[in-house]
Amino acid sequence: MSLNQRNLLAYFNYLKTRHPLMKSLMTLINLIRIVQIPLEMIVAKLSKNNEAVFVLALELSKFVIKFGIWQGSGWRPVPKQFYTSIERKEENNFNVEGEDSKVKRLEEKMNRLDLQLKEAKSREPLDYYLKGHKSNIYTLQPQTSFKPCADWTSWTRELTHLARPSVYALCLLIFSKQKNNQKNWIPLAISLLMDLYSKWPELRNKKTSETESPLESEEKSRRLLDFLYYPLRSPLYQSVSSDLLDGIEERIGEIYLLGPVVETIKIYRKLWENVYFYTSAS
């Protein structure tokens, strides 16, 4: 586990101490993200007309959950991913705790290290121990990994970021039945405007604080990657991206042994076109 992953785990464990529902909310949002694509496929197969309603209902559910996590965290930015700990219980317990408990855990670790050194014929166990127990200020004080929204502007930007998928799904439901081709661009345009507003400081490469944590920088970079989904969304995909991909497939198909790559691209293209959650970035 990298240092950033360890710090993120420490932050999530800190969130669980703030409110008794935080653990349930984080588990629920993880569960929804796992099942949303197969569920959408099932709903689309049973009733294509109800697919947009199902997508909107799921996006609204996710918004309510993320808003609860946002409020419960003290209005700190909501990370894109919620990792599940794969470490032992005694190793992932970075919750805020009393000094006696911290001292006791430190003594236990030192005793285990002493035993390793006594049994070792080289310094390899020490190196292994130090590599496996990296920590910094954000591990010891996880509440500093993400700073609360400092002003009204940062608060509205985060709210816009959380609400964008729901607004986009609502616009798709409203304008999907419109025969006017120009109105089909409205959901995409509204979504893009909301993303531009919520991510404008990152687009300008402007740090909101001189003491920005590595996790905050990583989360902002991850959010900027959401813009890569726009060429795969309707109607931009049908108007521009589809023809470009046709050309790429034709070029790749001419190269020996790359036929399977072309077939894989074709499969994913069908998913991009027909399954909302593949390109929703929510």
Side-chain angles (χ1 to χ4, degrees):
M1 179 176 284
S2 67
L3 182 57
N4 269 10
Q5 288 176 323
R6 184 178 292 271
N7 290 343
L8 191 61
L9 177 60
Y11 177 69
F12 290 151
N13 285 333
Y14 160 74
L15 291 183
K16 295 173 187 177
T17 66
R18 289 187 57 91
H19 195 282
L21 291 178
M22 290 296 282
K23 182 178 180 180
S24 299
L25 291 175
M26 289 190 287
T27 302
L28 189 57
I29 193 69
N30 268 335
L31 179 62
I32 292 176
R33 283 171 174 165
I34 291 171
V35 303
Q36 60 187 10
I37 290 177
L39 281 180
E40 183 188 352
M41 290 179 173
I42 293 172
V43 171
K45 192 170 184 179
L46 295 175
S47 177
K48 189 67 178 178
N49 294 332
N50 294 328
E51 183 182 0
V53 177
F54 169 78
V55 166
L56 177 59
L58 210 56
E59 288 290 19
L60 288 173
S61 300
K62 288 160 65 177
F63 170 71
V64 171
I65 294 170
K66 287 187 285 187
F67 188 89
I69 295 172
W70 184 35
Q71 191 276 333
S73 69
W75 307 113
R76 291 174 169 85
V78 180
K80 178 78 172 180
Q81 301 293 338
F82 292 93
Y83 298 119
T84 302
S85 171
I86 58 173
E87 294 194 321
R88 296 185 307 233
K89 183 177 179 181
E90 62 268 21
E91 295 296 343
N92 69 15
N93 184 20
F94 290 108
N95 294 340
V96 179
E97 50 189 334
E99 293 298 324
D100 293 341
S101 179
K102 289 181 180 179
V103 171
K104 185 177 179 180
R105 285 201 303 119
L106 181 59
E107 289 176 348
E108 291 175 354
K109 288 184 178 181
M110 291 177 67
N111 290 335
R112 290 200 300 270
L113 180 58
D114 288 340
L115 291 175
Q116 286 180 338
L117 292 176
K118 288 178 182 179
E119 296 173 356
K121 296 181 180 179
S122 68
R123 293 183 60 85
E124 288 183 3
L126 177 60
D127 296 334
Y128 176 81
Y129 178 88
L130 293 176
K131 288 179 181 179
H133 294 77
K134 294 178 182 178
S135 64
N136 56 17
I137 185 63
Y138 302 109
T139 315
L140 302 175
Q141 298 181 9
Q143 64 272 23
T144 61
S145 292
F146 291 93
K147 298 174 184 63
C149 297
D151 50 37
W152 177 253
T153 302
S154 59
W155 193 91
T156 55
R157 288 189 193 278
E158 183 66 18
L159 179 61
T160 303
H161 170 72
L162 297 179
R164 184 207 62 81
S166 300
V167 174
Y168 178 54
L170 177 61
C171 291
L172 287 176
L173 179 62
I174 294 173
F175 295 101
S176 61
K177 298 179 181 180
Q178 300 287 338
K179 296 182 179 180
N180 189 332
N181 291 332
Q182 292 183 347
K183 290 187 176 181
N184 292 337
W185 289 86
I186 293 178
L188 191 69
I190 292 176
S191 176
L192 180 59
L193 287 174
M194 295 181 73
D195 263 335
L196 287 173
Y197 174 73
S198 63
K199 301 174 176 67
W200 188 247
E202 291 86 349
L203 289 169
R204 295 179 59 193
N205 197 24
K206 178 182 177 182
K207 281 195 173 184
T208 56
S209 172
E210 294 296 329
T211 58
E212 186 174 274
S213 73
L215 285 181
E216 286 178 308
S217 300
E218 186 179 89
E219 176 63 21
K220 289 178 179 180
S221 299
R222 185 181 291 113
R223 292 185 180 187
L224 287 178
L225 293 177
D226 290 347
F227 286 103
L228 297 179
Y229 287 102
Y230 278 93
L232 305 178
R233 292 175 184 159
S234 177
L236 183 60
Y237 176 78
Q238 287 82 1
S239 301
V240 180
S241 307
S242 181
D243 292 337
L244 291 176
L245 286 174
D246 287 338
I248 293 173
E249 287 179 4
E250 185 177 349
R251 293 292 184 92
I252 294 177
E254 295 174 355
I255 302 175
Y256 185 63
L257 295 179
L258 290 184
V261 176
V262 175
E263 294 302 318
T264 302
I265 294 175
K266 289 180 179 178
I267 293 172
Y268 275 103
R269 287 182 65 178
K270 291 180 181 178
L271 294 174
W272 297 336
E273 290 184 71
N274 300 321
V275 183
Y276 163 85
F277 284 112
Y278 263 102
T279 59
S280 64
S282 60

